[in-house]
Structure formats: structure tokens, C-alpha cells
Amino acid sequence: MVILITGASHTGKTALAQKLLEKYKYPYLSIDHLKMGLIRSGNTTLTPVSEDEALIKYLWPIVREIIKTAIENNQNLIVEGCYIPFEWAEDFEEEYRDKIRFYCLVMSENYIENHFCDIKKFASIIEDRSDDKDCTLEMVRKDNMEMLEKCIKYKADYIYIDEAYKFDIEV
């Protein structure tokens, strides 16, 4: 089983991946770690602040083949990050798609409005975000609404965080 977790920044993708690692003992791949390894090693001219579309175009073919390899070897894997295209299923034949679950984390406007202080407070729960000045209420609201629109457009499974931030994925 391969679990894909995407969503806007600050929605808890890495925290959920860590929770699933602890619960199911499935390893996870952070696409941000892969991105930074490729950037720091000089294997790309892209930067951490490159446009998301450019990063998806560069990173997804690598991640896609890692997913195929895990499935071919009958291994479980969680892949998390914002660089998973909503058209991901087009890149896999049915035998692969049957072993992949896709989830997008989306915070409602209501949740963002009522819990923005918590969103900022827990931003570094798994990874260091000491320089998080770019995270604004408006940015979080805009990014989550864009993700929700994409989920609807692509008929993608999503976890809607509205009243409380409590959810789990059963495998």
C-alpha cells in the first residue's frame, strides 16, 4: 500500500505521515527532503522558492518511480508533500493505482479563522519553521481554498478539517 498525502502548506501533511509511521510502521518519504537533497547536491538549478509547478515537473517523475518500485517490491510507503499532482493517477496503470490511496488535507475557512494561532503554533511540531513570517492568515486561506477547488475538480479524496483538527487514515 502506498499512501499519498498532499495539501497546502501548514495543513499537517508531515505530522500525519509521522502519525501513520508510528501507528502502522510504514516508512514515509518527505518530498521536501528529496527536493532539498537535489537542490543542495547541485543536481538542479531549482531553488526552495521556485514555483510549485516547476518543482512538481522536476520532482514528480522521480517520486512516481519510487512509488512504482515500492509497489513492485510489495512494500508499504507513505509519500507526503505539496508536489503531488492531482493528475497523479494518469501516471499509473490500474495494477499500480489499486495499491495507492490519495488524500488531500484541506482546512475550512471557518477552521482557519478560528484556529490560525494554533496553525502558527504547531507549524514546527515535526519540522523547524523558525522563519515562518510568510505564513499569513490570507495565504493559508487562499492556499486551502485552491486545494479544495482542485479536489473538487479532480474528484480527489480529501480530509476536510473544519471543527477540530482530529483525523486518521485507516489502511
Side-chain angles (χ1 to χ4, degrees):
M1 171 74 60
V2 174
I3 301 170
L4 305 178
I5 303 170
T6 194
S9 180
H10 291 77
T11 53
K13 298 176 297 293
T14 308
L16 177 57
Q18 181 68 37
K19 182 178 179 179
L20 294 173
L21 164 81
E22 293 167 3
K23 183 174 181 177
Y24 296 108
K25 309 299 185 235
Y26 289 10
Y28 76 84
L29 168 68
S30 166
I31 301 175
D32 277 340
H33 291 171
L34 176 62
K35 172 186 79 173
M36 291 310 299
L38 292 164
I39 290 169
R40 288 180 170 173
S41 66
N43 283 295
T44 181
T45 57
L46 294 170
T47 69
V49 294
S50 292
E51 290 294 318
D52 282 356
E53 289 306 313
L55 287 163
I56 290 170
K57 186 177 178 181
Y58 182 74
L59 294 167
W60 179 245
I62 298 165
V63 173
R64 178 191 66 221
E65 297 308 316
I66 291 170
I67 292 167
K68 286 180 182 177
T69 301
I71 292 170
E72 290 162 359
N73 287 304
N74 202 29
Q75 295 171 312
N76 298 314
L77 180 64
I78 301 161
V79 178
E80 66 88 11
C82 59
Y83 307 111
I84 300 170
F86 278 84
E87 308 91 346
W88 67 269
E90 296 172 7
D91 290 338
F92 297 95
E93 295 170 4
E94 186 175 351
E95 64 205 49
Y96 291 103
R97 287 193 308 267
D98 290 343
K99 295 183 172 108
I100 301 171
R101 300 292 174 266
F102 174 91
Y103 300 96
C104 182
L105 303 182
V106 178
M107 293 177 178
S108 72
E109 287 192 57
N110 176 60
Y111 182 85
I112 295 165
E113 289 287 333
N114 292 323
H115 299 279
F116 185 69
C117 290
D118 291 333
I119 293 168
K120 292 284 282 186
K121 182 170 115 180
F122 293 110
S124 293
I125 196 166
I126 300 292
E127 57 191 337
D128 181 18
R129 293 184 188 238
S130 51
D131 181 20
D132 203 25
K133 64 183 176 292
D134 293 336
C135 178
T136 64
L137 178 67
E138 196 51 45
M139 184 229 25
V140 173
R141 184 186 299 122
K142 176 183 163 290
D143 290 351
N144 276 273
M145 292 314 101
E146 286 175 4
M147 283 292 171
L148 181 58
E149 288 170 7
K150 288 181 180 179
C151 288
I152 293 167
K153 177 181 177 181
Y154 292 99
K155 297 176 177 63
D157 288 330
Y158 61 95
I159 298 169
Y160 197 61
I161 304 159
D162 188 31
E163 295 296 321
Y165 195 93
K166 293 187 182 195
F167 55 85
D168 196 4
I169 294 174
E170 297 295 324
V171 295

